Amino acid sequence: MTTVIPGFRAIIPAGGAGTRLWPLSRRSEPKFLRDFTGSGRTLIQATWDRLMPLTGPDGIVVVTGQAHGAAIVHQLPGGVEILIEPSPRDSMAAIGLAAAVLEQREAGVIVGSFAADHAISGRSEFGAAVGGAVEAAREGYVATIGIAPTGPSTAYGYIHLGEPLVGLGARRVAAFVEKPSASVAAEYLATGEYRWNAGMFVARADVLLDSLARYRPALHQGLRTIAAAWDTPDRARILDEQWPALEKVAIDHAIAEPLAADGGVAVIPAGFAWDDVGDWDSVARLLPAGDDDVRRLGEVGRVLAVDAPGATVVSTTGRAVAVVGVEDAVVVDMGDVVLVTRRDAAQQVRDLPSALAAEGDLSLL
Amino acid sequence: MTTVIPGFRAIIPAGGAGTRLWPLSRRSEPKFLRDFTGSGRTLIQATWDRLMPLTGPDGIVVVTGQAHGAAIVHQLPGGVEILIEPSPRDSMAAIGLAAAVLEQREAGVIVGSFAADHAISGRSEFGAAVGGAVEAAREGYVATIGIAPTGPSTAYGYIHLGEPLVGLGARRVAAFVEKPSASVAAEYLATGEYRWNAGMFVARADVLLDSLARYRPALHQGLRTIAAAWDTPDRARILDEQWPALEKVAIDHAIAEPLAADGGVAVIPAGFAWDDVGDWDSVARLLPAGDDDVRRLGEVGRVLAVDAPGATVVSTTGRAVAVVGVEDAVVVDMGDVVLVTRRDAAQQVRDLPSALAAEGDLSLL
């Protein structure tokens, strides 16, 4: 049984277009609002499901843009607070805003940020890892959770493990390293001293904000000013004044990397399975194969497959789908468009919404 | 200008399921009733278009099954006579029936049989070849038209050219040879002495029937008996009696091959382009590529292609179709099913309707 962690609040930044998961992921219904694992829960619902036991139903804050606030309210239970960003200013502003608002309300609160659109299996291992991160956070670290690599992925950044932190079940982060080449990734794996960076950060809100003050003082000042006005009648006015000027920067660059260099970041090596659900190859990996070696998602009708090992069929229409002689085919069948690709070409799918957007054709976006 | 050939009648046997062209070709609307070349005319309409100038509007007879008689009447002009077969008994019975009925009405008539579902370009070359075949037929030959191979196809039978027939612009057929292996086909091409067998046969009806009497006397007798009753009140009764007992055999095996061995078949080497529209690879070859290297057929909406050279999109829905990273992809988008295949796997498409039929699932057939 996982139990609520006292003084812990979760922040879910819900942004990102998920253009590699077009056409199921759309502007009006991006990745986090869709079920990409066949669980019956959308990605943000599944994120809520795994955090709620650790925070309690009132301990989760979602940060999102104006376009998706209503859909998130619709998908999540009533107790969830939703902070609306006037415009996207990257993850440091989103997470920093929530941390500053929560710290303003409750000094000493511990916050953890978790993306709205990742998939995790192993609920109790996840809870244990978050618990370990909270312990490290209580000791003044910004703590992250390091995912055990299942292969030499070139799609993720890596965390280089440093020395053990006595009494914490954590290790110091020696460094965050960028997405490596395949050969470098293989070297990392061979050492056993690297973990995937899933972008999960747990810290005392005051520690997080003090770090921000150190590395990005202007951004810190703006967020503190907004937070001070958040629960007052001045919120809108101050947001209008301050938000557009905030620096657009990822939390990794703003805090995690420089603070790790200064020895202030801890990592909990975790055992649960994690996937960023980044593209159709990810989705195919996450879906169970049927007896016919076909992976299905959504309202899939009859599937006919001949010489089509590893096929994945996604549908919102219930139509029959036939695949002949295309290995690792991915077919996404929707009312207005059908996408045909292969798992090994999945990264290129993002080029399609980009091309449509560049032409100003919004009909399929 | 092509002109009507006196005493010449065309027979169009319209049968065959076209299962390799599923799902556009269906039981209820088989290949010959559909436009597979983007010409705006169905295959049987295009067949009529190229024969009518040679026969006149009243010189064409279609032989088909009960299921498709009405659709053919709908697609072709009023002057076309349609002979309905009670059940399919292969091409010799179909063509032989029409030849016997025409001979019964008009002794000495010359008939030519042309499949309802092939594609030909080069109208005047076609007319010239048929004219040459009719000349050979007047001299007592069963004449065929030999297609100049455009490559070492293993999908077609070949005609081995024999000695020239003096004064006819034709050559004797040395032999009909079965579909060869690729290496044998290449050898054939290197000699220049082989042509593709497109199954076109032109003969005096009495010569054709006499040959049948020689090689298949029971079949000949049955067809003569039916033809004698055709234009009388006894047609239905005699058909019921005789038709079910007729041998199922192709005209190639029944007449062309044995008669060639006996020196009685002539071939007109022809210069027009011919395709049997056998599968989606054929269709892709016949369709012109757009500026984006995509081949389109039907009500195709927006096509988005990334790293998808040689893509072919067929649609009856007008939906958008996106193809990413699948070379030579063929996407057939219909209201109840979408087929995804590649040109080099096109032959396997027939396995799908076979599997559906074997299960008794007729919904997609």
Side-chain angles (χ1 to χ4, degrees):
Chain A
M1 286 289 293
T2 311
T3 51
V4 169
I5 302 170
F8 174 61
R9 301 287 177 268
I11 299 166
I12 304 177
T19 56
R20 287 173 296 167
L21 290 169
W22 183 89
L24 192 56
S25 175
R26 304 276 180 118
R27 279 186 312 154
S28 62
E29 207 163 344
K31 183 183 159 193
F32 58 83
L33 292 175
R34 285 278 196 184
D35 173 13
F36 276 96
T37 67
S39 67
R41 300 286 280 168
T42 67
L43 292 175
I44 197 169
Q45 285 175 325
T47 302
W48 186 90
D49 292 348
R50 79 176 75 94
L51 288 169
M52 196 279 286
L54 308 177
T55 62
D58 298 326
I60 298 178
V61 173
V62 176
V63 189
T64 194
Q66 293 179 344
H68 305 303
I72 293 172
V73 167
H74 184 72
Q75 290 199 359
L76 297 182
V80 178
E81 181 172 10
I82 300 182
L83 307 187
I84 301 292
E85 303 173 286
S87 60
R89 302 217 78 70
D90 215 327
S91 60
M92 188 67 252
I95 296 164
L97 171 66
V101 169
L102 292 170
E103 167 68 12
Q104 177 84 16
R105 293 177 186 165
E106 185 180 3
V109 68
I110 292 173
V111 296
S113 77
F114 303 90
D117 55 4
H118 293 174
I120 284 172
S121 63
R123 189 69 60 87
S124 64
E125 292 91 335
F126 176 73
V130 174
V134 169
E135 283 183 52
R138 290 197 204 284
E139 297 302 314
Y141 291 98
V142 169
T144 189
I145 295 173
I147 309 296
T150 57
S153 173
T154 61
Y156 305 135
Y158 284 69
I159 299 166
H160 187 189
L161 304 180
E163 77 276 14
L165 298 174
V166 176
L168 279 179
R171 294 176 68 169
R172 201 182 301 277
V173 171
F176 290 95
V177 290
E178 298 285 332
K179 295 173 185 176
S181 67
S183 60
V184 170
E187 288 170 24
Y188 289 173
L189 257 65
T191 68
E193 294 296 304
Y194 287 82
R195 294 293 180 276
W196 284 339
N197 176 13
M200 300 174 187
F201 294 103
V202 178
R204 277 191 357 228
D206 57 355
V207 169
L208 197 75
L209 292 161
D210 288 351
S211 299
L212 188 61
R214 183 170 166 193
Y215 301 118
R216 290 290 204 277
L219 181 49
H220 170 263
Q221 188 54 54
L223 292 171
R224 285 286 199 184
T225 303
I226 294 166
W230 193 264
D231 294 326
T232 76
D234 290 333
R235 182 200 295 182
R237 182 177 60 80
I238 299 294
L239 255 185
D240 278 356
E241 278 177 20
Q242 298 285 328
W243 190 264
L246 297 183
E247 185 185 7
K248 271 185 162 176
V249 61
I251 189 171
D252 303 74
H253 298 309
I255 292 182
E257 292 164 10
L259 187 61
D262 291 342
V265 184
V267 54
I268 312 297
F272 56 82
W274 167 86
D275 197 295
D276 74 344
V277 200
D279 58 25
W280 289 112
D281 184 42
S282 266
V283 173
R285 197 164 53 230
L286 289 165
L287 295 171
D291 292 342
D292 54 0
D293 192 31
V294 175
R295 288 135 198 84
R296 290 168 171 80
L297 177 64
E299 299 299 314
V300 179
R302 170 122 205 196
V303 176
L304 299 157
V306 172
D307 187 23
T312 299
V313 176
V314 180
S315 184
T316 60
T317 74
R319 290 195 312 168
V321 173
V323 183
V324 178
V326 184
E327 192 173 356
D328 284 337
V330 177
V331 180
V332 183
D333 168 52
M334 300 189 73
D336 54 353
V337 62
V338 59
L339 166 70
V340 173
T341 187
R342 287 168 42 123
R343 289 179 63 170
D344 59 8
Q347 292 280 329
Q348 294 173 275
V349 170
R350 82 173 95 203
D351 295 351
L352 297 177
S354 299
L356 290 166
E359 289 178 23
D361 182 346
L362 306 183
S363 60
L364 297 169
L365 290 177
Chain B
M1 284 291 292
T2 311
T3 52
V4 169
I5 302 169
F8 173 62
R9 301 286 178 270
I11 300 166
I12 304 176
T19 56
R20 286 174 297 168
L21 290 170
W22 181 88
L24 193 57
S25 176
R26 304 277 180 117
R27 279 186 314 155
S28 61
E29 206 162 348
K31 183 182 157 192
F32 58 83
L33 293 174
R34 286 278 196 183
D35 172 13
F36 276 96
T37 66
S39 67
R41 299 286 280 167
T42 69
L43 291 175
I44 197 169
Q45 286 176 325
T47 302
W48 186 90
D49 292 347
R50 78 176 75 94
L51 289 168
M52 196 280 285
L54 308 177
T55 62
D58 298 325
I60 297 177
V61 173
V62 176
V63 190
T64 193
Q66 293 178 343
H68 305 304
I72 293 172
V73 167
H74 184 71
Q75 290 199 358
L76 297 183
V80 178
E81 181 172 10
I82 299 181
L83 308 187
I84 301 291
E85 303 173 287
S87 61
R89 303 217 76 71
D90 216 327
S91 61
M92 188 66 253
I95 296 164
L97 171 67
V101 168
L102 293 171
E103 168 66 14
Q104 176 82 17
R105 294 176 184 165
E106 185 180 2
V109 69
I110 292 174
V111 297
S113 77
F114 303 89
D117 55 4
H118 293 174
I120 284 172
S121 63
R123 191 67 61 86
S124 63
E125 293 91 333
F126 175 74
V130 174
V134 170
E135 284 182 50
R138 291 197 203 284
E139 298 300 314
Y141 291 98
V142 169
T144 188
I145 294 172
I147 309 296
T150 56
S153 173
T154 61
Y156 304 136
Y158 284 70
I159 300 166
H160 187 187
L161 304 180
E163 78 275 15
L165 298 174
V166 176
L168 280 177
R171 293 176 69 170
R172 201 182 300 278
V173 171
F176 290 95
V177 291
E178 300 282 334
K179 295 173 186 176
S181 66
S183 61
V184 170
E187 289 171 24
Y188 288 173
L189 257 65
T191 68
E193 294 295 304
Y194 287 81
R195 293 292 181 276
W196 284 341
N197 176 12
M200 301 173 187
F201 295 104
V202 177
R204 277 191 358 228
D206 58 354
V207 169
L208 196 76
L209 292 160
D210 288 351
S211 299
L212 189 60
R214 182 169 166 196
Y215 301 118
R216 290 290 205 278
L219 181 51
H220 170 261
Q221 188 54 54
L223 292 172
R224 285 286 199 184
T225 304
I226 293 167
W230 193 264
D231 293 327
T232 77
D234 290 334
R235 181 200 296 181
R237 184 177 58 79
I238 299 294
L239 254 185
D240 277 356
E241 276 176 20
Q242 299 285 329
W243 190 265
L246 297 184
E247 184 185 9
K248 272 186 162 175
V249 61
I251 189 171
D252 304 75
H253 298 310
I255 293 182
E257 292 165 11
L259 186 62
D262 291 342
V265 183
V267 53
I268 312 298
F272 55 83
W274 167 87
D275 197 295
D276 74 344
V277 199
D279 58 24
W280 289 112
D281 184 41
S282 267
V283 172
R285 198 164 51 231
L286 290 165
L287 295 171
D291 292 341
D292 54 359
D293 193 30
V294 174
R295 289 133 197 85
R296 290 168 171 80
L297 178 65
E299 299 300 314
V300 178
R302 170 119 206 198
V303 176
L304 299 157
V306 172
D307 187 21
T312 299
V313 176
V314 181
S315 183
T316 61
T317 74
R319 290 195 311 166
V321 173
V323 183
V324 178
V326 183
E327 194 175 353
D328 283 337
V330 177
V331 180
V332 184
D333 169 52
M334 301 189 71
D336 54 353
V337 62
V338 59
L339 165 70
V340 173
T341 187
R342 286 167 44 122
R343 290 179 63 169
D344 59 8
Q347 292 281 329
Q348 294 173 275
V349 170
R350 82 174 95 204
D351 295 351
L352 297 177
S354 300
L356 290 167
E359 289 177 24
D361 182 345
L362 306 184
S363 60
L364 297 169
L365 289 177

